[in-house]
Amino acid sequence: MDTKQLIKAAKEASIHSYSPYSKYKVGAALLTKNGKIYTGTNIENASFPAGMCAERVALFDAVKNGDTELESLAIYAEGENYPFPCGICRQVVSEFTRDIKIIIAKSENDYVIKNISELLPDTFEFSI
Ligand code: THU
Protein backbone atom coordinates (compact mmCIF):
# COMPACT_ATOMS: atom_id res chain seq x y z
CA MET A 1 0.00 0.00 0.00
CA ASP A 2 1.66 3.19 -1.11
CA THR A 3 0.96 6.76 -0.11
CA LYS A 4 -1.07 7.64 -3.19
CA GLN A 5 -3.33 4.60 -2.79
CA LEU A 6 -4.10 5.54 0.81
CA ILE A 7 -4.84 9.13 -0.22
CA LYS A 8 -7.20 7.79 -2.89
CA ALA A 9 -9.05 5.75 -0.26
CA ALA A 10 -9.36 8.85 1.93
CA LYS A 11 -10.62 10.89 -1.03
CA GLU A 12 -13.26 8.26 -1.78
CA ALA A 13 -14.36 8.29 1.86
CA SER A 14 -14.81 12.07 1.70
CA ILE A 15 -17.56 11.60 -0.91
CA HIS A 16 -19.91 10.46 1.87
CA SER A 17 -19.09 13.39 4.16
CA TYR A 18 -22.18 14.70 5.93
CA SER A 19 -21.19 18.33 6.26
CA PRO A 20 -24.16 20.58 5.47
CA TYR A 21 -22.94 23.23 7.94
CA SER A 22 -19.25 23.67 7.17
CA LYS A 23 -19.43 22.29 3.60
CA TYR A 24 -15.94 20.96 4.35
CA LYS A 25 -15.65 17.36 3.18
CA VAL A 26 -12.97 15.38 4.99
CA GLY A 27 -11.99 11.77 4.35
CA ALA A 28 -9.63 9.55 6.32
CA ALA A 29 -8.05 6.19 5.51
CA LEU A 30 -6.24 4.29 8.23
CA LEU A 31 -3.90 1.44 7.33
CA THR A 32 -3.34 -1.08 10.13
CA LYS A 33 -0.25 -3.28 10.50
CA ASN A 34 -2.19 -6.31 9.25
CA GLY A 35 -2.85 -4.54 5.95
CA LYS A 36 -6.49 -3.58 6.46
CA ILE A 37 -7.84 -0.14 5.61
CA TYR A 38 -10.50 1.58 7.69
CA THR A 39 -12.08 4.71 6.31
CA GLY A 40 -14.05 7.54 7.81
CA THR A 41 -15.62 10.83 6.96
CA ASN A 42 -16.76 13.80 8.99
CA ILE A 43 -20.35 13.65 10.20
CA GLU A 44 -21.86 16.94 11.35
CA ASN A 45 -24.95 17.67 13.39
CA ALA A 46 -27.33 20.59 13.94
CA SER A 47 -26.05 20.49 17.51
CA PHE A 48 -22.51 21.31 16.41
CA PRO A 49 -20.49 19.57 19.17
CA ALA A 50 -22.28 16.31 18.36
CA GLY A 51 -20.41 16.08 15.06
CA MET A 52 -17.40 13.84 14.54
CA CYS A 53 -14.12 14.14 12.63
CA ALA A 54 -13.24 11.80 9.77
CA GLU A 55 -10.09 10.52 11.51
CA ARG A 56 -11.91 9.37 14.61
CA VAL A 57 -14.65 7.66 12.61
CA ALA A 58 -11.93 5.60 10.88
CA LEU A 59 -9.91 4.97 14.02
CA PHE A 60 -12.87 3.91 16.14
CA ASP A 61 -13.93 1.48 13.42
CA ALA A 62 -10.45 -0.10 13.52
CA VAL A 63 -10.48 -0.34 17.31
CA LYS A 64 -13.99 -1.78 17.28
CA ASN A 65 -12.63 -4.53 15.01
CA GLY A 66 -9.72 -5.24 17.33
CA ASP A 67 -7.15 -3.56 15.06
CA THR A 68 -5.10 -1.24 17.22
CA GLU A 69 -1.72 -1.71 15.53
CA LEU A 70 -1.55 1.34 13.28
CA GLU A 71 0.72 1.88 10.29
CA SER A 72 -0.35 5.09 8.56
CA LEU A 73 -3.25 7.50 8.28
CA ALA A 74 -4.21 9.59 5.26
CA ILE A 75 -6.42 12.65 5.68
CA TYR A 76 -7.92 14.26 2.61
CA ALA A 77 -9.80 17.50 2.09
CA GLU A 78 -9.82 19.88 -0.84
CA GLY A 79 -9.14 23.50 -0.04
CA GLU A 80 -6.52 26.18 0.34
CA ASN A 81 -4.91 24.68 3.43
CA TYR A 82 -3.60 21.22 4.19
CA PRO A 83 -6.14 19.37 6.37
CA PHE A 84 -4.02 18.92 9.48
CA PRO A 85 -5.77 16.81 12.12
CA CYS A 86 -7.40 18.68 14.99
CA GLY A 87 -5.98 18.47 18.50
CA ILE A 88 -8.55 15.96 19.71
CA CYS A 89 -7.78 13.59 16.81
CA ARG A 90 -4.05 13.90 17.52
CA GLN A 91 -4.69 12.92 21.12
CA VAL A 92 -6.88 9.97 20.10
CA VAL A 93 -4.22 8.67 17.66
CA SER A 94 -1.61 9.05 20.42
CA GLU A 95 -3.62 6.74 22.63
CA PHE A 96 -2.68 3.85 20.34
CA THR A 97 0.74 4.75 18.95
CA ARG A 98 3.48 7.33 19.17
CA ASP A 99 4.84 6.31 15.78
CA ILE A 100 2.46 6.56 12.84
CA LYS A 101 2.92 8.21 9.46
CA ILE A 102 0.22 10.80 8.89
CA ILE A 103 -0.36 11.88 5.30
CA ILE A 104 -2.12 15.23 5.03
CA ALA A 105 -3.44 15.72 1.51
CA LYS A 106 -5.28 18.43 -0.34
CA SER A 107 -5.07 16.44 -3.56
CA GLU A 108 -3.67 13.08 -4.62
CA ASN A 109 -0.44 14.82 -5.64
CA ASP A 110 -0.19 17.56 -3.04
CA TYR A 111 0.45 16.37 0.49
CA VAL A 112 2.73 16.60 3.50
CA ILE A 113 3.81 13.75 5.75
CA LYS A 114 4.28 14.08 9.51
CA ASN A 115 4.67 11.65 12.35
CA ILE A 116 2.27 11.86 15.28
CA SER A 117 5.26 12.58 17.53
CA GLU A 118 5.81 15.80 15.54
CA LEU A 119 2.14 16.77 15.54
CA LEU A 120 1.72 16.11 19.26
CA PRO A 121 5.15 16.07 20.90
CA ASP A 122 3.97 15.86 24.48
CA THR A 123 0.87 13.77 24.89
CA PHE A 124 -1.39 13.48 27.89
CA GLU A 125 -1.20 10.08 29.54
CA PHE A 126 -3.35 9.07 32.44
CA SER A 127 -1.56 8.17 35.63
CA ILE A 128 -2.48 8.14 39.31
N1 THU B 1 -12.82 17.94 10.72
C1 THU B 1 -12.35 16.67 10.52
O1 THU B 1 -13.05 15.81 9.97
N2 THU B 1 -11.10 16.39 10.95
C2 THU B 1 -10.27 17.25 11.60
O2 THU B 1 -9.19 16.88 12.05
C3 THU B 1 -10.68 18.65 11.76
C4 THU B 1 -12.07 18.98 11.38
C5 THU B 1 -14.18 18.26 10.28
C6 THU B 1 -15.13 18.52 11.41
C7 THU B 1 -16.17 19.38 10.74
O3 THU B 1 -17.14 18.55 10.14
C8 THU B 1 -15.41 20.10 9.64
O4 THU B 1 -14.18 19.42 9.49
C9 THU B 1 -15.15 21.57 9.93
O5 THU B 1 -14.53 21.74 11.15
Side-chain angles (χ1 to χ4, degrees):
M1 170 61 56
D2 70 13
T3 296
K4 284 204 184 348
Q5 280 177 287
L6 203 60
I7 294 172
K8 194 163 181 277
K11 183 179 181 178
E12 281 169 11
S14 75
I15 291 168
H16 300 294
S17 168
Y18 180 75
S19 43
Y21 305 103
S22 73
K23 316 269 190 223
Y24 189 60
K25 293 174 178 291
V26 187
L30 175 68
L31 176 66
T32 53
K33 296 261 189 212
N34 60 13
K36 287 191 189 160
I37 296 177
Y38 295 89
T39 61
T41 191
N42 54 329
I43 303 168
E44 299 184 348
N45 191 277
S47 173
F48 288 4
M52 182 55 65
C53 291
E55 299 93 312
R56 275 176 286 157
V57 171
L59 183 53
F60 291 162
D61 190 21
V63 174
K64 179 202 78 188
N65 282 284
D67 278 346
T68 55
E69 301 284 311
L70 313 179
E71 182 75 32
S72 51
L73 170 67
I75 307 161
Y76 178 95
E78 287 173 20
E80 203 176 310
N81 302 319
Y82 290 103
F84 280 91
C86 78
I88 296 173
C89 288
R90 295 177 197 205
Q91 176 67 31
V92 172
V93 169
S94 280
E95 179 75 18
F96 297 98
T97 179
R98 294 293 296 151
D99 184 17
I100 177 175
K101 185 169 110 174
I102 303 192
I103 303 147
I104 301 141
K106 52 175 162 172
S107 84
E108 279 172 74
N109 299 308
D110 190 359
Y111 55 85
V112 291
I113 296 178
K114 301 274 184 188
N115 196 285
I116 188 63
S117 56
E118 298 172 81
L119 294 176
L120 190 66
D122 296 299
T123 185
F124 171 76
E125 287 176 52
F126 186 77
S127 60
I128 50 169

